[in-house]
Amino acid sequence: EDYFSGVVVDHSSEPPSSKVLTILKDPHQQECRRQASYVSWYPDGARKLAVAYSILDFQQQPEDMPLSSYIWDLSKPTIPDFEVMTVSQLCSLKYSPKDPNIILGGQFNGQVAYWDTRKGHHAIEVSLVENSHKDPVWDVAWLRSKTGAECLSV
């Protein structure tokens, strides 16, 4: 049987295009060139964005490299909304799906930390060095649990 007889399909397409909505610049771009190594969208809508900034090549890291990463409010893209302060640069970070004020981050030194944006810029808790990764933490994830406080790092 021929189900689509007589149907003409147009496979032509429009040329690809893009549109720049906003540009978020690392506030420390004059001091060194860090890349945005990880991006996490705010769980309650697309109004905020957490960005981990780092230089992942160990040989390229300057002595006085800034360690902060930032949360950006897309309605005010010229200045960061919140500064995430760390002891080692962040390679990954992710919002908690249960509480958008909680952020989980994996650091270049192998430690995992979490921040509560209501309680300040420094981590609430950081994994002990002896119980941490021996390499950078490339990714973090929140696990589905009753408490919403369990996580995984890679």
Side-chain angles (χ1 to χ4, degrees):
E1 292 182 46
D2 190 11
Y3 295 105
F4 302 104
S5 63
V7 175
V8 178
V9 179
D10 181 14
H11 290 287
S12 64
S13 64
E14 296 179 20
S17 64
S18 64
K19 181 179 177 182
V20 176
L21 298 177
T22 189
I23 296 174
L24 305 173
K25 294 183 179 182
D26 180 5
H28 297 286
Q29 71 180 1
Q30 302 301 325
E31 299 163 38
C32 68
R33 297 199 37 102
R34 303 185 302 166
Q35 294 84 22
S37 58
Y38 208 95
V39 173
S40 178
W41 286 98
Y42 192 73
D44 291 340
R47 62 189 179 109
K48 288 189 179 184
L49 186 68
V51 181
Y53 290 97
S54 59
I55 297 175
L56 299 177
D57 185 1
F58 182 73
Q59 301 294 326
Q60 301 295 321
Q61 296 174 3
E63 286 275 332
D64 57 345
M65 182 179 65
L67 301 175
S68 297
S69 290
Y70 299 96
I71 295 174
W72 297 89
D73 185 336
L74 297 180
S75 64
K76 300 179 279 179
T78 55
I79 56 167
D81 188 51
F82 186 82
E83 182 178 10
V84 180
M85 300 178 79
T86 64
V87 295
S88 177
Q89 59 185 335
L90 283 175
C91 298
S92 57
L93 84 159
K94 200 165 281 182
Y95 278 105
S96 166
K98 294 219 177 206
D99 184 349
N101 296 299
I102 306 292
I103 301 171
L104 176 66
Q107 300 182 71
F108 193 82
N109 67 357
Q111 291 180 294
V112 176
Y114 79 93
W115 292 260
D116 185 335
T117 58
R118 297 166 294 198
K119 296 185 178 177
H121 300 280
H122 295 282
I124 298 296
E125 195 165 346
V126 180
S127 63
L128 298 172
V129 173
E130 53 270 9
N131 296 334
S132 298
H133 295 265
K134 305 301 180 230
D135 291 312
V137 180
W138 300 117
D139 201 1
V140 291
W142 290 98
L143 301 176
R144 293 182 189 243
S145 65
K146 288 182 181 180
T147 63
E150 297 176 15
C151 63
L152 160 71
S153 60
V154 180

